[in-house]
Amino acid sequence: MAKGFAGGVWLNLDEKIDANLSVRSMPSPARLSYPLPRKGGKTASPLVKEGDRVLLGQPLCADGGAAFCPVHASVSGSVARIAERDIPYIGARTVVEVENDHRSAPFVQKPRARDYYAIPGRELLETVKNAGIESEGNRPLPLWLKLEEFACEKIKLLLIDAVEDEPYISRSSAVSARYPHDVAFGLYCLLKICGAAEAVLAAAKGSGAGPEKVTAAAGRIGYPLRICRARAKYPASDESLLPRELGLNGAGVLYPGDCYNVCRAVKETCPQISKIITVAGECVEKPQNVEVKLGTPVKDILDFCGLSQKPARVVLGGLMRGESVADLSVPIFKRTTAVLALPAVGKPCAAACINCGRCIEACPERLTPNFLARAAIKADFAACRALGAENCIGCGCCSYICPGRVPVAALIRTVQKEFEESPPK
Amino acid sequence: MIRANQNNGGLPERFGVGLNLETGRPPHLRGRDSVRSSMSDVLIALAPVLGIAVYYYGLRVLFLSAVSVACCIGLEALWGLLFRRSGGIGDLSAVVTGLITALNLPACAPWWFPILGAFVSIIIVKQIFGGLGKNVFNPALTAIVFLTVTWPKLNLIVPMPFPFGAAGSFRTTETALLSLKQGVTPTATLMEMFLGDRAGAAGTGAVFILLVAAVYLLYRRVIDWRTPAAMLATVAAVALLLPRCPAGRGVSALYELMSGSVLFAAVFMATDPVTSPSTGPGRAVSGVLCGLTTAFLRYNGIFPEGVYFALLLTNPLSTALDLGWLRLRQKRLAVAARKGGMSQ
């Protein structure tokens, strides 16, 4: 099988933020807010009322089945307000605001330790489902749904994606370097759940010692774990491209963060209430990986890490796919991978496509972004469909490479949103 | 560096007053290459071409180039002022157009040739069509074609080179292409052709310099190899099949490749991104079409050089070639999908 995906771009990865790959834990802030999920026509309704006392790990909304995961309170305290709010970049949501009492009174008492290795797969899946773990990666899916899919398709190989191909971001390496035993144990559970025989840990060439630590921990548990090195060419870490990059087609892709969350859920009966994110950017004084409670406002996180200069743009997520926010009261939620505070970039020059075809070379999905952008500007959705706009993985390589500074990826994304809203008859 | 103030809640508080965050769609990172940098690379590649032209034909080439570039920049800036178009001259595309036009003129061309050429290229071919990226034809190419067909004699009389320092009067002679058309071996030897020591348009002769420029542009990824390779291969193949030079097939092919402006056009004009296809197969097909047309016009046309007209004919086909390839690929994908579905 041919190795390596076609296209992609080499990004400057020199901005490695922390050679030790430590993870600092951030104290919970005074007030947290939880936007309740909404997908398709399905909206989560709150299970608590204003003024109610909530406990750490208490579900705030009902399970949305295959559509979305339940949200749990990440601190104990009282519900200060429940209101409809327009959250930048995810749209209008019901937001539950919780006043922290800093007692961390748990909703479920920690059960007595037992032989975790003896827990059967069905029970583990149930635990994952109740913990509301959302899989990392670009598609926000409940982890249990992904695992059931893997089990149905009789996936033989699990691929743990610790490839870091974007500047600043080092969270996957940090998780594997800091919590190798937890990741190895989580992976052991995941293998059991989907009945896969083998696991491979994918890391970028020349990345730190995190992967070796995890394989050592896996060896101690007693299952084999191989390391595969991928090129650090963006977007090698993409769910659909990584198997192609490593020549391991048909593998199910999961993330070190997933393994870590599963470990916490199994060993501590703790739902997903925190997230390890990268806080970086040229305006951040101490760039680092931080474990933050879900619901923490971005402002508090930037406070915690300190700013060295006034940022012009704050991005949630990586530079290539993250969304910029204008309002720093936006909370961290399950999908957030990073907070980047960036200085002003030069004013963009006027965009003009000169038809150079660099975007075609860079597109890992072998699309023709120049023609797609042209059709998108004309709002010719039929043409966009014919050119395969639905297959776009949104990596943004076309916009990155474009010498004419055409916002190609943004145009294609707009077309995809249009498709989602009005599916073809 | 401003220090964080832990007492009043850290820096966002302090910055909070004027924290006016901009928003933009991802990606928040852009590559270093721009239209300007590509055009700068083309200018870097053109510099030695200009240098060797000055060496062979004297300072008059520099004068014509200066007039041409100045007129192109002036007209582009004027249009920008008149119609309040953004972009302007910053992308350096006008400089490239001006220089390419001048290098395709014979050194003895009258001083007003480049002025007229600039008007045709910048105003008529580029700006009226909507500016950079919207033009159907290559601006410099159209200017040359316009001047050639309007003053055929002036453009056909080409001076012999007189390496730097020699007397400055133009001795005109017939070009290698004219000899080939008459079915005789050109007077210039193959080595002289390779060095550019032969009669012709000022910047198009020095084969070795053009090859170096091509390698530089390929290395900088400003041009794609497919169009020029397909074009030159086709011209050579036709010459091998139907040699015009009595000295033999191989010699004939070499003369065809090194004479006239075909090499310059293949490196600098056929690779113009705006007027050439953007898909790989589209580029290859357009190169083959252009090579065939060049050979056909050289063998049968009134003018000895056919490459300009050939490019003019293939330029408007670029989008059609791209879309044709995409449709073909879609059909192939559909067939593959159907077969895959049946086998399951």
Side-chain angles (χ1 to χ4, degrees), chain A residues 123-146:
Chain A
E123 197 186 326
L124 287 172
L125 183 64
E126 206 52 39
T127 311
V128 169
K129 201 166 176 176
N130 292 336
I133 300 172
E134 196 173 275
S135 175
E136 306 195 345
N138 305 312
R139 287 182 307 154
L141 279 180
L143 182 61
W144 65 267
L145 188 71
K146 239 175 145 176

PDB file of all heavy atoms in Angstrom, chain A residues 123-146:
ATOM      1  N   GLU A 123     -19.857  -2.998  29.962  1.00  0.00           N
ATOM      2  CA  GLU A 123     -19.933  -2.076  31.090  1.00  0.00           C
ATOM      3  C   GLU A 123     -19.058  -0.842  30.828  1.00  0.00           C
ATOM      4  O   GLU A 123     -19.437   0.285  31.148  1.00  0.00           O
ATOM      5  CB  GLU A 123     -19.483  -2.799  32.357  1.00  0.00           C
ATOM      6  CG  GLU A 123     -19.920  -2.076  33.626  1.00  0.00           C
ATOM      7  CD  GLU A 123     -19.349  -2.723  34.879  1.00  0.00           C
ATOM      8  OE1 GLU A 123     -19.208  -3.961  34.893  1.00  0.00           O
ATOM      9  OE2 GLU A 123     -19.027  -1.975  35.819  1.00  0.00           O
ATOM     10  N   LEU A 124     -17.905  -1.069  30.206  1.00  0.00           N
ATOM     11  CA  LEU A 124     -17.015   0.052  29.888  1.00  0.00           C
ATOM     12  C   LEU A 124     -17.702   1.015  28.927  1.00  0.00           C
ATOM     13  O   LEU A 124     -17.624   2.237  29.084  1.00  0.00           O
ATOM     14  CB  LEU A 124     -15.723  -0.470  29.254  1.00  0.00           C
ATOM     15  CG  LEU A 124     -14.732  -1.166  30.189  1.00  0.00           C
ATOM     16  CD1 LEU A 124     -13.609  -1.784  29.375  1.00  0.00           C
ATOM     17  CD2 LEU A 124     -14.178  -0.186  31.204  1.00  0.00           C
ATOM     18  N   LEU A 125     -18.400   0.437  27.923  1.00  0.00           N
ATOM     19  CA  LEU A 125     -19.085   1.288  26.952  1.00  0.00           C
ATOM     20  C   LEU A 125     -20.139   2.132  27.645  1.00  0.00           C
ATOM     21  O   LEU A 125     -20.293   3.328  27.367  1.00  0.00           O
ATOM     22  CB  LEU A 125     -19.727   0.418  25.856  1.00  0.00           C
ATOM     23  CG  LEU A 125     -20.409   1.193  24.740  1.00  0.00           C
ATOM     24  CD1 LEU A 125     -19.407   2.024  23.960  1.00  0.00           C
ATOM     25  CD2 LEU A 125     -21.149   0.267  23.794  1.00  0.00           C
ATOM     26  N   GLU A 126     -20.853   1.503  28.581  1.00  0.00           N
ATOM     27  CA  GLU A 126     -21.885   2.218  29.335  1.00  0.00           C
ATOM     28  C   GLU A 126     -21.253   3.373  30.127  1.00  0.00           C
ATOM     29  O   GLU A 126     -21.784   4.482  30.181  1.00  0.00           O
ATOM     30  CB  GLU A 126     -22.581   1.222  30.275  1.00  0.00           C
ATOM     31  CG  GLU A 126     -24.004   1.590  30.638  1.00  0.00           C
ATOM     32  CD  GLU A 126     -24.885   1.878  29.422  1.00  0.00           C
ATOM     33  OE1 GLU A 126     -24.764   1.177  28.379  1.00  0.00           O
ATOM     34  OE2 GLU A 126     -25.672   2.820  29.516  1.00  0.00           O
ATOM     35  N   THR A 127     -20.084   3.096  30.720  1.00  0.00           N
ATOM     36  CA  THR A 127     -19.372   4.132  31.480  1.00  0.00           C
ATOM     37  C   THR A 127     -19.010   5.307  30.576  1.00  0.00           C
ATOM     38  O   THR A 127     -19.204   6.475  30.926  1.00  0.00           O
ATOM     39  CB  THR A 127     -18.079   3.542  32.080  1.00  0.00           C
ATOM     40  OG1 THR A 127     -18.401   2.326  32.732  1.00  0.00           O
ATOM     41  CG2 THR A 127     -17.445   4.501  33.063  1.00  0.00           C
ATOM     42  N   VAL A 128     -18.474   4.982  29.375  1.00  0.00           N
ATOM     43  CA  VAL A 128     -18.078   6.031  28.429  1.00  0.00           C
ATOM     44  C   VAL A 128     -19.291   6.869  28.057  1.00  0.00           C
ATOM     45  O   VAL A 128     -19.237   8.096  27.980  1.00  0.00           O
ATOM     46  CB  VAL A 128     -17.437   5.391  27.175  1.00  0.00           C
ATOM     47  CG1 VAL A 128     -17.273   6.425  26.076  1.00  0.00           C
ATOM     48  CG2 VAL A 128     -16.110   4.763  27.517  1.00  0.00           C
ATOM     49  N   LYS A 129     -20.435   6.173  27.847  1.00  0.00           N
ATOM     50  CA  LYS A 129     -21.661   6.851  27.432  1.00  0.00           C
ATOM     51  C   LYS A 129     -22.114   7.810  28.536  1.00  0.00           C
ATOM     52  O   LYS A 129     -22.439   8.965  28.286  1.00  0.00           O
ATOM     53  CB  LYS A 129     -22.725   5.792  27.172  1.00  0.00           C
ATOM     54  CG  LYS A 129     -23.854   6.227  26.289  1.00  0.00           C
ATOM     55  CD  LYS A 129     -24.627   4.995  25.850  1.00  0.00           C
ATOM     56  CE  LYS A 129     -25.821   5.369  25.037  1.00  0.00           C
ATOM     57  NZ  LYS A 129     -26.518   4.181  24.543  1.00  0.00           N
ATOM     58  N   ASN A 130     -22.128   7.317  29.778  1.00  0.00           N
ATOM     59  CA  ASN A 130     -22.610   8.148  30.882  1.00  0.00           C
ATOM     60  C   ASN A 130     -21.666   9.299  31.185  1.00  0.00           C
ATOM     61  O   ASN A 130     -22.089  10.324  31.704  1.00  0.00           O
ATOM     62  CB  ASN A 130     -22.790   7.289  32.136  1.00  0.00           C
ATOM     63  CG  ASN A 130     -23.929   6.311  31.971  1.00  0.00           C
ATOM     64  OD1 ASN A 130     -24.841   6.548  31.162  1.00  0.00           O
ATOM     65  ND2 ASN A 130     -23.880   5.215  32.695  1.00  0.00           N
ATOM     66  N   ALA A 131     -20.377   9.116  30.871  1.00  0.00           N
ATOM     67  CA  ALA A 131     -19.409  10.159  31.193  1.00  0.00           C
ATOM     68  C   ALA A 131     -19.487  11.319  30.202  1.00  0.00           C
ATOM     69  O   ALA A 131     -18.852  12.351  30.405  1.00  0.00           O
ATOM     70  CB  ALA A 131     -17.998   9.574  31.201  1.00  0.00           C
ATOM     71  N   GLY A 132     -20.269  11.149  29.145  1.00  0.00           N
ATOM     72  CA  GLY A 132     -20.435  12.244  28.185  1.00  0.00           C
ATOM     73  C   GLY A 132     -19.151  12.633  27.487  1.00  0.00           C
ATOM     74  O   GLY A 132     -18.909  13.808  27.220  1.00  0.00           O
ATOM     75  N   ILE A 133     -18.307  11.652  27.180  1.00  0.00           N
ATOM     76  CA  ILE A 133     -17.030  11.965  26.534  1.00  0.00           C
ATOM     77  C   ILE A 133     -17.257  12.215  25.051  1.00  0.00           C
ATOM     78  O   ILE A 133     -17.872  11.410  24.361  1.00  0.00           O
ATOM     79  CB  ILE A 133     -16.019  10.823  26.732  1.00  0.00           C
ATOM     80  CG1 ILE A 133     -15.775  10.614  28.223  1.00  0.00           C
ATOM     81  CG2 ILE A 133     -14.710  11.133  26.014  1.00  0.00           C
ATOM     82  CD1 ILE A 133     -14.954   9.403  28.537  1.00  0.00           C
ATOM     83  N   GLU A 134     -16.776  13.349  24.594  1.00  0.00           N
ATOM     84  CA  GLU A 134     -16.877  13.664  23.180  1.00  0.00           C
ATOM     85  C   GLU A 134     -15.523  13.372  22.561  1.00  0.00           C
ATOM     86  O   GLU A 134     -14.488  13.765  23.096  1.00  0.00           O
ATOM     87  CB  GLU A 134     -17.233  15.134  23.017  1.00  0.00           C
ATOM     88  CG  GLU A 134     -17.737  15.472  21.630  1.00  0.00           C
ATOM     89  CD  GLU A 134     -18.240  16.900  21.571  1.00  0.00           C
ATOM     90  OE1 GLU A 134     -19.403  17.139  21.912  1.00  0.00           O
ATOM     91  OE2 GLU A 134     -17.451  17.778  21.199  1.00  0.00           O
ATOM     92  N   SER A 135     -15.544  12.686  21.421  1.00  0.00           N
ATOM     93  CA  SER A 135     -14.278  12.341  20.790  1.00  0.00           C
ATOM     94  C   SER A 135     -13.596  13.604  20.299  1.00  0.00           C
ATOM     95  O   SER A 135     -14.237  14.528  19.814  1.00  0.00           O
ATOM     96  CB  SER A 135     -14.503  11.389  19.637  1.00  0.00           C
ATOM     97  OG  SER A 135     -13.289  11.154  18.980  1.00  0.00           O
ATOM     98  N   GLU A 136     -12.285  13.633  20.418  1.00  0.00           N
ATOM     99  CA  GLU A 136     -11.545  14.758  19.870  1.00  0.00           C
ATOM    100  C   GLU A 136     -11.487  14.578  18.361  1.00  0.00           C
ATOM    101  O   GLU A 136     -12.038  13.646  17.830  1.00  0.00           O
ATOM    102  CB  GLU A 136     -10.151  14.795  20.500  1.00  0.00           C
ATOM    103  CG  GLU A 136     -10.273  14.811  22.008  1.00  0.00           C
ATOM    104  CD  GLU A 136      -9.004  15.205  22.709  1.00  0.00           C
ATOM    105  OE1 GLU A 136      -7.946  15.202  22.074  1.00  0.00           O
ATOM    106  OE2 GLU A 136      -9.085  15.519  23.899  1.00  0.00           O
ATOM    107  N   GLY A 137     -10.824  15.455  17.695  1.00  0.00           N
ATOM    108  CA  GLY A 137     -10.851  15.377  16.240  1.00  0.00           C
ATOM    109  C   GLY A 137     -11.816  16.398  15.698  1.00  0.00           C
ATOM    110  O   GLY A 137     -12.393  17.183  16.453  1.00  0.00           O
ATOM    111  N   ASN A 138     -11.964  16.399  14.402  1.00  0.00           N
ATOM    112  CA  ASN A 138     -12.682  17.511  13.799  1.00  0.00           C
ATOM    113  C   ASN A 138     -14.193  17.356  13.837  1.00  0.00           C
ATOM    114  O   ASN A 138     -14.910  18.321  13.858  1.00  0.00           O
ATOM    115  CB  ASN A 138     -12.219  17.687  12.361  1.00  0.00           C
ATOM    116  CG  ASN A 138     -10.732  17.844  12.319  1.00  0.00           C
ATOM    117  OD1 ASN A 138     -10.178  18.630  13.073  1.00  0.00           O
ATOM    118  ND2 ASN A 138     -10.080  17.073  11.475  1.00  0.00           N
ATOM    119  N   ARG A 139     -14.664  16.092  13.836  1.00  0.00           N
ATOM    120  CA  ARG A 139     -16.104  15.909  13.926  1.00  0.00           C
ATOM    121  C   ARG A 139     -16.459  15.723  15.390  1.00  0.00           C
ATOM    122  O   ARG A 139     -16.012  14.778  16.011  1.00  0.00           O
ATOM    123  CB  ARG A 139     -16.534  14.685  13.126  1.00  0.00           C
ATOM    124  CG  ARG A 139     -16.479  14.913  11.629  1.00  0.00           C
ATOM    125  CD  ARG A 139     -16.960  13.672  10.921  1.00  0.00           C
ATOM    126  NE  ARG A 139     -16.235  12.480  11.373  1.00  0.00           N
ATOM    127  CZ  ARG A 139     -16.736  11.251  11.333  1.00  0.00           C
ATOM    128  NH1 ARG A 139     -17.947  11.045  10.881  1.00  0.00           N
ATOM    129  NH2 ARG A 139     -16.010  10.234  11.733  1.00  0.00           N
ATOM    130  N   PRO A 140     -17.248  16.626  15.978  1.00  0.00           N
ATOM    131  CA  PRO A 140     -17.612  16.443  17.377  1.00  0.00           C
ATOM    132  C   PRO A 140     -18.674  15.351  17.510  1.00  0.00           C
ATOM    133  O   PRO A 140     -19.848  15.603  17.352  1.00  0.00           O
ATOM    134  CB  PRO A 140     -18.154  17.815  17.790  1.00  0.00           C
ATOM    135  CG  PRO A 140     -18.563  18.474  16.514  1.00  0.00           C
ATOM    136  CD  PRO A 140     -17.815  17.835  15.395  1.00  0.00           C
ATOM    137  N   LEU A 141     -18.230  14.121  17.785  1.00  0.00           N
ATOM    138  CA  LEU A 141     -19.154  13.000  17.927  1.00  0.00           C
ATOM    139  C   LEU A 141     -19.019  12.438  19.331  1.00  0.00           C
ATOM    140  O   LEU A 141     -17.940  12.462  19.904  1.00  0.00           O
ATOM    141  CB  LEU A 141     -18.782  11.886  16.947  1.00  0.00           C
ATOM    142  CG  LEU A 141     -19.224  11.989  15.502  1.00  0.00           C
ATOM    143  CD1 LEU A 141     -18.736  10.771  14.757  1.00  0.00           C
ATOM    144  CD2 LEU A 141     -20.721  12.107  15.398  1.00  0.00           C
ATOM    145  N   PRO A 142     -20.107  11.909  19.892  1.00  0.00           N
ATOM    146  CA  PRO A 142     -19.958  11.199  21.159  1.00  0.00           C
ATOM    147  C   PRO A 142     -19.004  10.016  20.954  1.00  0.00           C
ATOM    148  O   PRO A 142     -19.092   9.318  19.951  1.00  0.00           O
ATOM    149  CB  PRO A 142     -21.369  10.703  21.460  1.00  0.00           C
ATOM    150  CG  PRO A 142     -22.276  11.588  20.678  1.00  0.00           C
ATOM    151  CD  PRO A 142     -21.518  11.984  19.454  1.00  0.00           C
ATOM    152  N   LEU A 143     -18.105   9.827  21.913  1.00  0.00           N
ATOM    153  CA  LEU A 143     -17.094   8.780  21.769  1.00  0.00           C
ATOM    154  C   LEU A 143     -17.726   7.393  21.674  1.00  0.00           C
ATOM    155  O   LEU A 143     -17.300   6.558  20.883  1.00  0.00           O
ATOM    156  CB  LEU A 143     -16.114   8.840  22.945  1.00  0.00           C
ATOM    157  CG  LEU A 143     -14.973   7.830  22.906  1.00  0.00           C
ATOM    158  CD1 LEU A 143     -14.114   8.034  21.686  1.00  0.00           C
ATOM    159  CD2 LEU A 143     -14.120   7.941  24.158  1.00  0.00           C
ATOM    160  N   TRP A 144     -18.809   7.164  22.475  1.00  0.00           N
ATOM    161  CA  TRP A 144     -19.418   5.827  22.478  1.00  0.00           C
ATOM    162  C   TRP A 144     -19.971   5.473  21.099  1.00  0.00           C
ATOM    163  O   TRP A 144     -19.917   4.330  20.667  1.00  0.00           O
ATOM    164  CB  TRP A 144     -20.514   5.714  23.539  1.00  0.00           C
ATOM    165  CG  TRP A 144     -21.719   6.594  23.300  1.00  0.00           C
ATOM    166  CD1 TRP A 144     -21.920   7.835  23.781  1.00  0.00           C
ATOM    167  CD2 TRP A 144     -22.868   6.273  22.514  1.00  0.00           C
ATOM    168  NE1 TRP A 144     -23.117   8.336  23.348  1.00  0.00           N
ATOM    169  CE2 TRP A 144     -23.724   7.387  22.572  1.00  0.00           C
ATOM    170  CE3 TRP A 144     -23.268   5.176  21.765  1.00  0.00           C
ATOM    171  CZ2 TRP A 144     -24.944   7.430  21.895  1.00  0.00           C
ATOM    172  CZ3 TRP A 144     -24.488   5.211  21.101  1.00  0.00           C
ATOM    173  CH2 TRP A 144     -25.317   6.337  21.177  1.00  0.00           C
ATOM    174  N   LEU A 145     -20.471   6.537  20.378  1.00  0.00           N
ATOM    175  CA  LEU A 145     -21.043   6.285  19.056  1.00  0.00           C
ATOM    176  C   LEU A 145     -19.946   5.820  18.103  1.00  0.00           C
ATOM    177  O   LEU A 145     -20.113   4.864  17.333  1.00  0.00           O
ATOM    178  CB  LEU A 145     -21.668   7.578  18.551  1.00  0.00           C
ATOM    179  CG  LEU A 145     -22.491   7.472  17.274  1.00  0.00           C
ATOM    180  CD1 LEU A 145     -23.776   6.747  17.550  1.00  0.00           C
ATOM    181  CD2 LEU A 145     -22.789   8.854  16.721  1.00  0.00           C
ATOM    182  N   LYS A 146     -18.805   6.503  18.187  1.00  0.00           N
ATOM    183  CA  LYS A 146     -17.668   6.128  17.350  1.00  0.00           C
ATOM    184  C   LYS A 146     -17.236   4.700  17.659  1.00  0.00           C
ATOM    185  O   LYS A 146     -16.970   3.902  16.762  1.00  0.00           O
ATOM    186  CB  LYS A 146     -16.509   7.086  17.652  1.00  0.00           C
ATOM    187  CG  LYS A 146     -16.019   7.850  16.450  1.00  0.00           C
ATOM    188  CD  LYS A 146     -14.979   8.846  16.893  1.00  0.00           C
ATOM    189  CE  LYS A 146     -13.916   8.987  15.852  1.00  0.00           C
ATOM    190  NZ  LYS A 146     -12.941  10.015  16.202  1.00  0.00           N
TER     191      LYS A 146
END
